[in-house]
Amino acid sequence: MATISDSGELLRYNGVARAFHAIIAVMVIFNLASGIGGDAIEDIWNPIPFHKSTGILILFLSIARIGWRLTWVMPEWPSAMGGLQRLVARITHLALYALMLVVPITGWIMSSAGKYPLTIYGLFDWPKLAVTKGSPLAEAAGEGHEVLGFLMAGLVVLHVAAALHHHFVIKDNVLRRML
Ligand code: HEM
Ligand code: HEM
């Protein structure tokens, strides 16, 4: 399959995939920003309750997205894309999918050990997992959430830079087919 069909039409990711990508991208970027910058704006607004609710939603949307992803084959990359570039793109996408699951799960475990209740935007309670404060699991989840959260921020920057590079420098269709 080529990026442009024989009739000249742009082959894009399917509509459901594009919708999942856009919604989850906005939510993940909000969570990275509120996680990393939350302390700086805490006096005006504490974003962490919102961060937790959005994170839980990201987890379940990502499970649905990955389930959907297993049912179709992506449109082929432009033929000019080299083998190394394809490998880096594949590894980055796989890592982002993994982090979309593992980062919210570590957050859920860590927050289950905390004293604050878990809710979804204050609308209803969200169950806490059976984790005790100070237990090795709670400690590991806290460490993991921080380290993997920062790794995710780095990969997202790389990913967005690559998309913009395709669009503005290489001038191919890689960005347009995901919009
Ligand atoms: C994809 C979803 C998520 C992303 C990208 C994300 C990212 C981050 C990042 C980068 C930090 C800053 C780490 C630090 O400086 O220690 C953070 C902090 C935090 N996250 Fe998340 N998070 C997500 C989901 C969740 C979920 C689901 C929960 C809980 C239910 C959660 C609870 C927290 C809490 C309580 C903090 C503050 C920790 C502290 O200040 O010690 N996060 N998050
Ligand atoms: C403004 C921000 C973003 C832009 C412009 C963007 C752009 C793109 C583009 C153009 C593709 C298709 C790449 C290709 O076909 O090789 C893509 C795929 C993907 N993006 Fe993003 N992205 C953004 C944010 C994010 C965020 C925040 C995440 C999640 C953490 C994410 C996760 C993914 C994943 C997992 C794929 C692989 C899709 C697949 O083939 O299954 N993106 N993105």
Side-chain angles (χ1 to χ4, degrees):
M1 215 201 302
T3 330
I4 307 283
S5 73
D6 290 342
S7 60
E9 190 197 354
L10 172 69
L11 296 172
R12 302 162 89 189
Y13 277 89
N14 61 71
V16 178
R18 284 184 277 133
F20 268 133
H21 178 266
I23 294 166
I24 295 175
V26 169
M27 294 168 81
V28 165
I29 290 169
F30 170 80
N31 260 33
L32 291 171
S34 57
I36 294 168
D39 289 347
I41 57 159
E42 208 178 26
D43 290 342
I44 311 161
W45 178 57
N46 172 14
I48 292 300
F50 209 85
H51 173 103
K52 293 181 191 170
S53 306
T54 306
I56 300 280
L57 289 191
I58 293 172
L59 172 61
F60 288 93
L61 280 172
S62 300
I63 292 171
R65 174 175 173 185
I66 290 167
W68 173 245
R69 178 66 178 87
L70 297 174
T71 66
W72 48 268
V73 176
M74 66 176 269
E76 212 175 87
W77 279 311
S79 45
M81 239 175 104
L84 182 64
Q85 227 183 327
R86 286 165 192 252
L87 182 70
V88 173
R90 248 183 236 292
I91 293 172
T92 308
H93 294 167
L94 269 177
L96 286 174
Y97 279 126
L99 291 166
M100 278 152 50
L101 301 175
V102 178
V103 173
I105 289 173
T106 52
W108 187 6
I109 296 173
M110 162 178 89
S111 297
S112 296
K115 59 180 175 189
Y116 298 107
L118 270 183
T119 77
I120 300 297
Y121 303 115
L123 298 173
F124 54 88
D125 287 342
W126 186 257
K128 283 191 166 186
L129 304 166
V131 190
T132 350
K133 197 174 171 65
S135 64
L137 179 59
E139 296 291 315
E143 280 291 311
H145 195 70
E146 183 172 358
V147 172
L148 297 175
F150 278 94
L151 172 67
M152 191 173 196
L155 284 183
V156 167
V157 169
L158 179 75
H159 176 71
V160 175
L164 296 178
H165 185 257
H166 273 280
H167 193 70
F168 291 109
V169 180
I170 308 177
K171 296 188 182 359
D172 62 16
N173 293 311
V174 165
L175 174 60
R176 277 203 292 150
R177 64 209 200 122
M178 189 46 116
L179 297 182

